[in-house]
Amino acid sequence: MAAHFGRLRKGATTTAVAAVAVAALSASQAPGVTTDDLGRQAAGAAQPSGDAKTGGAGGGATGDSPYYTDLPPLKSPNPSPSASPTTGTTVSVGEAEAGIPATVLDAYKKAEAELRASKPGCNLPWQLLAAIGKVESGQARGGRVDASGTTYSPILGPKLDGNGFALIADTDHGAYDGDPAYDRAVGPMQFIPSTWAWAGRDGNGDGKKDPNNVYDAALAAGHYLCRFDRDLSVQSQMNAAILNYNNSTEYLNTVLSWLEYYRKGTHEVPDGTGTLPSHSSNRDPGASPSPTTPATPSTPSTPRTPSTPKPGGAGSTSPTPKPPAPSSPAPSPTPPTPTQTVDHLEDANTGKLTATAGSAFGTKVAVRAESKASKGVAKVRVRFTIIGDTDATFTGGESVATVVTGSAGTATAPALVAGEKTGDFTVRATVVGRVLGGLDYTATVTPRQADTLTRTSDTALTCVPGGEFADQVELKATYKGAVAGKVAATATLIKSADDATENDKGPYFKDADGKTIRTLTDLTTDADGVLKLPKLYADDATGTFLLRVNTTGGAVLTVELKVAAAAS
């Protein structure tokens, strides 16, 4: 079976060419993939293309529209880690083709996270979305998207009019593709309108399902691939999902090649700077390339000046010199995106970030995106990342939050919620899609506190020498009148009210081995603020003894214990 791999790059050696061919052939013979007598591919686990929700005859998600056939470089990305200046996370740096525009990469990873929560059995890797996004639209035309993830102009496939492609008459009245006669594949993930009508998702939370938005399209593609309870960690089921997206052996081979390449390492590049593929599966020279942005009307040519007869000649003519045709004005340069105009981030009056374990921070991190002239820049994506050994999160349980700046250029992170780990951590603010220095904020989580301790009973605590106290000491902790749950405490049997050192006689506790101990540490009140101490025992000493309990926050309570011989 022959497979089409696009053009190999110049300078590839015979061995390298053979390696690509073998790799592609292996991919085409992956588990679950078979071919018929005409070389067309089928997959055992694939849903037939006549499924009521494929959106067209043999269409899958894309209507089997053309796609890019460029293969990844033979050299894998450099796996050596380095810190991303945008996110602060460790990434791999390598070939330009391994670079994925920041917003596009963010969309793939958010889609993976959503599917991990909603369909954990699918095991969708974000690198599969990246591979499909590469062959479908060149990662949204190299990341030409705005702050919300919407492409600056629609990405459209050719008319599906049956001329070299599937025949799919208009289903959306041109609402998505602008074509009232035939459908076209639309957006970064190239959904045909009839498929988008049921598969579309709102991935960026703006209340709309837009196939031209990379967050919406990536999430929709993830759900589409995860249909039929597929487990994409099983190769045959992944093959079936890819073929259901675009039913072509060559398409499967190309996507799997990019999937493997991205798995070996990728790195984030600024929006609008991604590399663009150049080879298309479109073999019809009269059809539009795939995918395209809407064409710009050409400038009409200047009419030619008719020639005039030469004086004195018998009908012979000679053209008079023509003035040079006026040249078309040079196209206006593409205006910079808001993100490209950002020069730096400034603090926007963020206050002190301190909270007690388990509670919300009263202050939110706020920054302002500014140009070189120190003017606020609106519609810029700012990423807030929690860094450090902490279990603190933003509201909703995430450690990363992305916010679009408002009209004044300000972005405010969601509220921080402290976990149980105490100490300092960092919140870092960076501009998505730009390599700029970020802003770091130190946040502190303090231990839970109590300012009052009281006994839950007023029963006297008495015991005979050598016996055990009938009642256990039970206390309740509060802080500013409210229950103080999960507060750390210690309990010590002390020598006197003025001497808090540990007593060497009188009542005592027992450890797990039954040995005498008179100090208990690592105590914690329960969710209701209650602390119940272990049983107390008495040695042969008689008299009045003191038990002192201290909590984080300064609450102290001293309890009297009396040891006396029984009345005769």
Side-chain angles (χ1 to χ4, degrees), residues 119-167:
K119 296 183 179 180
C122 178
N123 295 304
L124 170 77
W126 67 260
Q127 291 92 340
L128 177 57
L129 296 176
I132 291 175
K134 180 71 172 182
V135 302
E136 292 292 353
S137 67
Q139 311 297 18
R141 303 293 291 170
R144 293 290 300 165
V145 296
D146 64 17
S148 67
T150 303
T151 58
Y152 286 116
S153 56
I155 300 175
L156 302 175
K159 292 182 179 181
L160 298 176
D161 57 5
N163 183 20
F165 309 109
L167 174 59

Side-chain angles (χ1 to χ4, degrees), residues 89-299:
T89 57
T90 300
V91 297
S92 294
V93 178
E95 298 283 345
E97 286 86 346
I100 299 178
T103 299
V104 180
L105 180 59
D106 188 52
Y108 296 149
K109 291 185 176 181
K110 275 188 167 54
E112 180 199 56
E114 196 278 344
L115 267 299
R116 191 187 305 123
S118 62
K119 296 183 179 180
C122 178
N123 295 304
L124 170 77
W126 67 260
Q127 291 92 340
L128 177 57
L129 296 176
I132 291 175
K134 180 71 172 182
V135 302
E136 292 292 353
S137 67
Q139 311 297 18
R141 303 293 291 170
R144 293 290 300 165
V145 296
D146 64 17
S148 67
T150 303
T151 58
Y152 286 116
S153 56
I155 300 175
L156 302 175
K159 292 182 179 181
L160 298 176
D161 57 5
N163 183 20
F165 309 109
L167 174 59
I168 303 179
D170 174 66
T171 61
D172 65 330
H173 304 291
Y176 292 124
D177 55 17
D179 191 330
Y182 300 98
D183 273 352
R184 298 176 178 224
V186 182
M189 304 303 277
Q190 290 288 278
F191 278 94
I192 54 175
S194 55
T195 301
W196 185 261
W198 61 266
R201 295 290 193 280
D202 176 14
N204 63 349
D206 64 356
K208 297 184 293 185
K209 300 175 183 179
D210 182 0
N212 289 299
N213 181 278
V214 69
Y215 287 95
D216 295 0
L219 184 57
H223 279 279
Y224 189 94
L225 294 166
C226 288
R227 294 185 306 157
F228 314 124
D229 294 324
R230 290 189 181 110
D231 179 357
L232 300 186
S233 65
V234 178
Q235 189 62 52
S236 61
Q237 295 189 39
M238 177 182 284
N239 295 343
I242 297 170
L243 288 169
N244 204 187
Y245 205 91
N246 192 321
N247 191 27
S248 160
T249 303
E250 299 163 9
Y251 182 84
L252 173 68
N253 293 337
T254 306
V255 169
L256 291 177
S257 296
W258 281 105
L259 168 63
E260 181 65 20
Y261 182 73
Y262 286 140
R263 275 177 165 167
K264 291 179 179 178
T266 60
H267 59 279
E268 180 182 286
V269 298
D271 291 344
T273 65
T275 58
L276 293 177
S278 57
H279 304 125
S280 173
S281 66
N282 184 356
R283 300 189 185 93
D284 182 356
S288 302
S290 168
T292 67
T293 53
T296 302
S298 58
T299 304

